Amino acid sequence: MDTPKRTRSGLRATVTRGRRASALRLLLVVALTAMVAVLFGQGARAASAATGGSMTVGEDANFYGSWPSLDPVTSTHSVGEVPFFDAIFGDLFEQGPKGQLVPDLATGYKFTNGGKTLVLHLRHGVRFSDGTPFNAAAVAFNFQRNMDPKNASAALTVTSAISSVTTPDNYTVDLHLSRPDAELPNSFLTYPINYIPSPTAFQKMGLKNFSLKPVGAGPFEVVSNDPSTKLVLKRNPLYWQKGLPHLNTLTFLALANDQSAYDALLTGEIQAYQPYSTLGTLAPIIKKGKVRVTAGPAAFGAQFILLNSDAPPFNNILAREAIYYATDPAPLNRAIQGGLATPSESPSIKNGLYYEAKVPGYRTYDLAKAKALVKQLGGLKFTIFGKQQTPQAETVAALKSEWVAAGMDVTIGSPLSSPALLSALRGGKWQADVEATGGFDPALGVGLPLYFVPSSPFAVVKDPKLVTMINAAAATLNASQRQKAYFGIWKYISDEAYAPFMFDLPFYNLSAKSVSIPGLTTYGYQALWQNATG
């Protein structure tokens, strides 16, 4: 059915992506939780909506602060460029506080032809910042680029059901499907298909130049771009929403670590920062009260262990089972996540879709069984990718300690950049890694298809039966039947010991108290840059 129409002015909690948390001393957990609860109320108050001025937002260089390319289709950093894409391109759809799709550049959608055609209705009168029309042809151009395997788009998995794209008129796009795909509308929320570049600008500039200075229909346009260092945007005078954005300029600055971000906030060099991940230093910051700390939901899904089931030693299910039994998430949660994470046995989060607290038959920590399996295998030797960011590096080190206690021979490899990791995964010459997957809808973003459907460039499990189950769940229009199908997927992943899950990950943002950025200074998943003031 069509989504309800809504304007974008005012403060709203919206839902998109997420992130990860890190170290927190146990003696600070109780105080931190209480103080954050108080700060939720502070973060919910809106600043005045005065137009003008500038704002600089710091980005963690190990996550959002890395943007080698600003072309949504060929980006290799998955969700890393999302804040910039939102600001430059806008979105076809946003996600509301209860998970519902919210219109932006698209005004609604509906399924026809027995679920085999998805019809998108577009907003009238929108122009790209280069003055060319935002219309059905532009959207179709974007879809065709995402559907071309040569571009290796992260959206290949979610566009696999689309057989063709037609444009009945300037404001209607018909996506013709080879099979019903109930998940496709929600897939707009975090995949490149949600971001529509100017076809005219892309064809005129070419990929290399467009990747540096793209043209969209969002609230801001690019002034200058030093990739993964500094991105300067200015107000788009052609933006469709009258009176927005409030800011004249918006600058994104990559920062090396959380401490440098906090120092930059105190000196006024930046006015906001995302995501803050070293939770061990967060409680003193809250106590000092010099900046606002805002917590968000565990939108980035569950942290889990990727095992290469196509190569030794993990092509043997006994080796995978040994990892399950040797992994105890509880002490990792206490020591690294500060006890704030929620234990998870699948790529689903509490209060999200298809959440199941306990997966039937899931192999939980049992050191004796782990040791017995290692002995049966005649030893278990492997390498796990190292991590650049402190909390992830701590997690890998802690896992190594647990596995060594079970008699395994574990080596931590060198940390890899996102492009290098993608290349390694594609090459198949790897053994283990730690990542996060799932979210409000585990089919979205860094979700189930990204790691478990072979058409994805990040796929780590290549099981035809699992792909069939995932496709069947996605094609099920009935909500209760779809949930049952996903519960079956969680059990199958568990039975095959493909990926031990650990816990859902909360996230935090810092900001000056004078600043208001809905979704960053308020509880939410997506920063609404057009509504930012301060």
Side-chain angles (χ1 to χ4, degrees), residues 193-280:
I193 53 176
N194 205 32
Y195 307 113
I196 308 300
S198 163
T200 301
F202 179 82
Q203 293 168 334
K204 180 180 179 179
M205 299 167 66
L207 176 59
K208 182 178 179 180
N209 290 331
F210 186 85
S211 297
L212 289 171
K213 200 172 182 179
V215 175
F220 294 92
E221 56 182 319
V222 179
V223 175
S224 63
N225 176 22
D226 185 358
S228 301
T229 302
K230 186 176 183 180
L231 175 64
V232 180
L233 310 179
K234 68 177 181 180
R235 190 176 192 270
N236 176 11
L238 301 181
Y239 185 55
W240 70 268
Q241 181 64 38
K242 187 176 180 180
L244 295 178
H246 295 302
L247 297 172
N248 287 332
T249 60
L250 175 62
T251 300
F252 293 101
L253 189 65
L255 297 175
N257 52 56
D258 289 347
Q259 183 59 51
S260 61
Y262 180 61
D263 293 340
L265 273 168
L266 295 181
T267 61
E269 181 182 359
I270 64 173
Q271 287 72 55
Y273 175 73
Q274 62 177 1
Y276 193 96
S277 55
T278 50
L279 297 189

Side-chain angles (χ1 to χ4, degrees), residues 147-510:
M147 293 164 61
D148 186 346
K150 294 179 181 179
N151 291 325
S153 170
L156 277 176
T157 53
V158 298
T159 60
S160 62
I162 303 174
S163 55
S164 63
V165 183
T166 59
T167 55
D169 58 56
N170 282 338
Y171 301 105
T172 306
V173 178
D174 289 347
L175 305 178
H176 303 283
L177 311 178
S178 58
R179 62 180 187 272
D181 189 351
E183 300 286 358
L184 184 55
N186 282 347
S187 298
F188 285 94
L189 298 173
T190 49
Y191 283 100
I193 53 176
N194 205 32
Y195 307 113
I196 308 300
S198 163
T200 301
F202 179 82
Q203 293 168 334
K204 180 180 179 179
M205 299 167 66
L207 176 59
K208 182 178 179 180
N209 290 331
F210 186 85
S211 297
L212 289 171
K213 200 172 182 179
V215 175
F220 294 92
E221 56 182 319
V222 179
V223 175
S224 63
N225 176 22
D226 185 358
S228 301
T229 302
K230 186 176 183 180
L231 175 64
V232 180
L233 310 179
K234 68 177 181 180
R235 190 176 192 270
N236 176 11
L238 301 181
Y239 185 55
W240 70 268
Q241 181 64 38
K242 187 176 180 180
L244 295 178
H246 295 302
L247 297 172
N248 287 332
T249 60
L250 175 62
T251 300
F252 293 101
L253 189 65
L255 297 175
N257 52 56
D258 289 347
Q259 183 59 51
S260 61
Y262 180 61
D263 293 340
L265 273 168
L266 295 181
T267 61
E269 181 182 359
I270 64 173
Q271 287 72 55
Y273 175 73
Q274 62 177 1
Y276 193 96
S277 55
T278 50
L279 297 189
T281 62
L282 189 55
I285 289 176
I286 294 175
K287 186 175 182 179
K288 290 178 182 178
K290 294 182 178 181
V291 300
R292 179 193 292 125
V293 179
T294 306
F300 205 55
Q303 195 166 44
F304 76 121
I305 302 163
L306 286 74
L307 301 174
N308 188 350
S309 57
D310 280 347
F314 297 117
N315 57 350
N316 186 335
I317 190 173
L318 297 180
R320 303 197 299 269
E321 288 179 338
I323 294 294
Y324 271 75
Y325 287 127
T327 302
D328 186 1
L332 276 67
N333 185 7
R334 291 191 299 267
I336 300 174
Q337 309 299 341
L340 302 178
T342 303
S344 177
E345 296 182 354
S346 72
S348 60
I349 65 172
K350 192 174 183 179
N351 300 321
L353 298 175
Y354 325 130
Y355 176 69
E356 189 173 29
K358 294 290 183 181
V359 175
Y362 188 89
R363 300 170 183 83
T364 56
Y365 177 67
D366 190 321
L367 185 57
K369 288 184 178 180
K371 288 182 176 180
L373 284 168
V374 171
K375 183 177 181 180
Q376 181 180 347
L377 290 164
L380 183 55
K381 181 178 181 179
F382 63 93
T383 298
I384 184 170
F385 287 127
K387 298 296 177 181
Q388 295 175 334
Q389 193 177 26
T390 299
Q392 290 182 314
E394 292 174 340
T395 298
V396 171
L399 286 171
K400 176 182 176 177
S401 296
E402 291 189 341
W403 296 337
V404 168
M408 302 177 190
D409 185 350
V410 185
T411 299
I412 298 178
S414 300
L416 298 180
S417 64
S418 292
L421 176 61
L422 174 59
S423 177
L425 293 177
R426 281 176 171 170
K429 295 181 179 180
W430 64 282
Q431 294 173 309
D433 186 24
V434 172
E435 298 292 341
T437 185
F440 178 83
D441 185 333
L444 302 180
V446 187
L448 191 65
L450 192 68
Y451 291 112
F452 296 95
V453 175
S455 58
S456 166
F458 290 92
V460 296
V461 174
K462 301 172 183 178
D463 183 331
K465 181 177 179 179
L466 180 58
V467 173
T468 298
M469 295 174 72
I470 292 172
N471 288 339
T476 304
L477 298 177
N478 180 277
S480 61
Q481 292 178 4
R482 192 183 314 131
Q483 175 168 288
K484 183 178 180 180
Y486 275 105
F487 283 1
I489 291 172
W490 306 158
K491 183 169 178 17
Y492 184 78
I493 291 174
S494 170
D495 289 346
E496 295 296 319
Y498 279 140
F501 289 88
M502 293 186 288
F503 31 66
D504 299 341
L505 303 173
F507 66 92
Y508 295 84
N509 301 314
L510 302 187

